[in-house]
Amino acid sequence: MATDRKKSTVGRRTTVADVARKAGVSAMTVSNVLNAPHRVSDQTVASVQAAIDELGYTPNHAARALSSGRSQVIGLPLYLDDDVANEQNPGLGGFLHGLLGGLVMAASGAGYGVHVTTPTTGKTEIALYEQLIAARQVDAIVVLETMPNDPRIEFLSTKGFPFVAFGRTAPGQRQCWVDVDNVESMATIGRYLHQKGRSRPAYLGTKSALPWVHQREEGFLREFASPHSRASFDDLDEVASYVTAAMEGSKRPDVFVADNDAWAVVAIRALQRLGVKVGEDVAVTGFNDFPFASMLDTPLTTARIPLRAVALSLFHRALQEIAGDPDTPGELVAAPLVIRASA
């Protein structure tokens, strides 16, 4: 009987029903594994994927998109400023590349594509959203770097169009977001420095209204309520001058805690010019783990944003929005500490 069934599939396209029989599940379960894996258990995903691999099943995405009225594409609009467009900020470029790579990998596994685009000169990001929605080019939009009362979130909510945010949405809005747990991740750095006997930290912050800036400072102050000093900057030269001045005082800091890797690199270079042994006399920590962090003369201790994990969560949350699932709390992702010679 099994032989007859096997022969019956020869010469025709393997179907969802074939996969369902092989895996011992319903056709709906196979559909969920392909289109909304967040709805089923990891064990079920594994057994269905094994059946797909054994039978050589290839989803007919064109037919599926036609029958569902969906594009099988997630939109990732990027508003690129001059620093990124002109390659003046390689750290941010690496961040976007890592996030995009993770999103593409997550989407491709479920038969989705990722449409990356940017507004043309003179047009806003919201105007780009309008274009994508009107042309039915995407099933959901990924919004990056959300702000409190973000007009992009207000627009998409008013339109009732599926979206997922990298960064928190406001209370009262759909909580379809994924964000780095900046508070706890920076607090983890602080606890590590305490364990290493560092007690006089100077905090190097970013002068910005972006939420992550204040979240990281909150995490720092949770562990160091009375630090040596705190200051915020929007210029590399300002950071270097501040570090130099701090080391000329009578009571020097024993560690510089930066809220981003760029500030940390500037601090390391300023200390080296003063003849300070970084990691021994004075420690330095960063946040992000940009690609250059491990390639310095004194490799940087920092918190690594797990871009692949963030991207996977963003995609699964996007699928929930496309499916119209009930709202669930946003998801925080920890940035693990990477210990290197600078601390």
Side-chain angles (χ1 to χ4, degrees):
M1 191 72 174
T3 302
D4 292 341
R5 182 180 298 167
K6 185 175 182 180
K7 286 181 179 179
S8 71
T9 64
V10 175
R12 69 174 177 80
R13 184 186 182 91
T14 303
T15 66
V16 167
D18 297 327
V19 174
R21 282 194 295 270
K22 186 70 178 177
V25 298
S26 67
M28 179 60 72
T29 298
V30 175
S31 179
N32 280 334
V33 169
L34 293 171
N35 300 300
H38 62 280
R39 290 181 171 178
V40 295
S41 68
D42 292 342
Q43 183 178 354
T44 300
V45 171
S47 62
V48 170
Q49 188 59 55
I52 288 172
D53 293 341
E54 183 174 342
L55 295 175
Y57 172 69
T58 303
N60 189 336
H61 299 309
R64 199 165 77 197
L66 186 62
S67 64
S68 67
R70 294 175 181 165
S71 66
Q72 301 295 120
V73 175
I74 300 294
L76 181 63
L78 300 177
Y79 188 83
L80 303 178
D81 60 22
D82 290 340
D83 280 353
V84 178
N86 297 325
E87 299 182 351
Q88 296 300 308
N89 192 332
L92 184 55
F95 178 88
L96 292 175
H97 181 270
L99 182 67
L100 175 59
L103 195 59
V104 168
M105 287 182 64
S108 64
Y112 269 77
V114 178
H115 178 52
V116 182
T117 184
T118 189
T120 55
T121 303
K123 288 194 174 181
T124 66
E125 194 170 330
I126 288 179
L128 180 58
Y129 291 178
E130 290 179 318
Q131 177 184 329
L132 292 172
I133 294 170
R136 298 183 179 180
Q137 290 178 278
V138 298
D139 296 334
I141 289 175
V142 178
V143 184
L144 302 180
E145 289 192 322
T146 57
M147 298 285 289
N149 303 314
D150 196 307
R152 299 171 299 171
I153 302 300
E154 293 287 349
F155 171 80
L156 291 169
S157 298
T158 300
K159 287 285 186 180
F161 193 79
F163 71 90
V164 60
F166 187 10
R168 295 163 223 198
T169 56
Q173 296 175 330
R174 284 189 66 84
Q175 297 301 296
C176 47
W177 56 262
V178 179
D179 199 10
V180 175
D181 193 345
N182 290 291
V183 175
E184 178 57 27
S185 299
M186 183 61 86
T188 297
I189 293 176
R191 288 192 291 271
Y192 170 75
L193 293 173
H194 274 306
Q195 292 169 7
K196 302 299 288 185
R198 305 289 179 176
S199 60
R200 300 188 308 280
Y203 188 76
L204 310 176
T206 301
K207 192 176 292 183
S208 170
L210 288 170
W212 63 261
V213 171
H214 306 289
Q215 292 160 6
R216 292 178 190 178
E217 187 168 15
E218 179 185 341
F220 169 77
L221 292 173
R222 179 183 293 180
E223 298 301 318
F224 293 102
S226 300
H228 173 279
S229 56
R230 284 187 292 154
S232 297
F233 314 91
D234 54 16
D235 179 81
L236 296 174
D237 291 335
E238 291 178 0
V239 177
S241 297
Y242 180 84
V243 171
T244 301
M247 295 304 294
E248 291 173 349
S250 58
K251 189 177 180 181
R252 297 179 172 185
D254 60 3
V255 57
F256 287 91
V257 179
D259 73 359
N260 68 85
D261 289 347
W263 282 188
V265 171
V266 173
I268 288 175
R269 289 175 176 170
L271 291 170
Q272 289 172 336
R273 284 195 293 268
L274 295 172
V276 175
K277 293 181 180 179
V278 177
E280 297 181 23
D281 301 335
V282 177
V284 177
T285 66
F287 203 111
N288 287 327
D289 198 27
F290 285 150
F292 57 75
S294 64
M295 297 183 286
L296 303 170
D297 291 340
T298 305
L300 180 64
T301 292
T302 185
R304 173 181 294 157
I305 295 180
L307 293 173
R308 292 293 171 88
V310 168
L312 183 62
S313 294
L314 284 170
F315 179 68
H316 283 168
R317 293 303 293 252
L319 291 182
Q320 287 180 255
E321 292 301 303
I322 293 168
D325 288 350
D327 203 12
T328 56
E331 181 180 351
L332 287 174
V333 180
L337 178 64
V338 181
I339 300 172
R340 300 191 180 103
S342 73

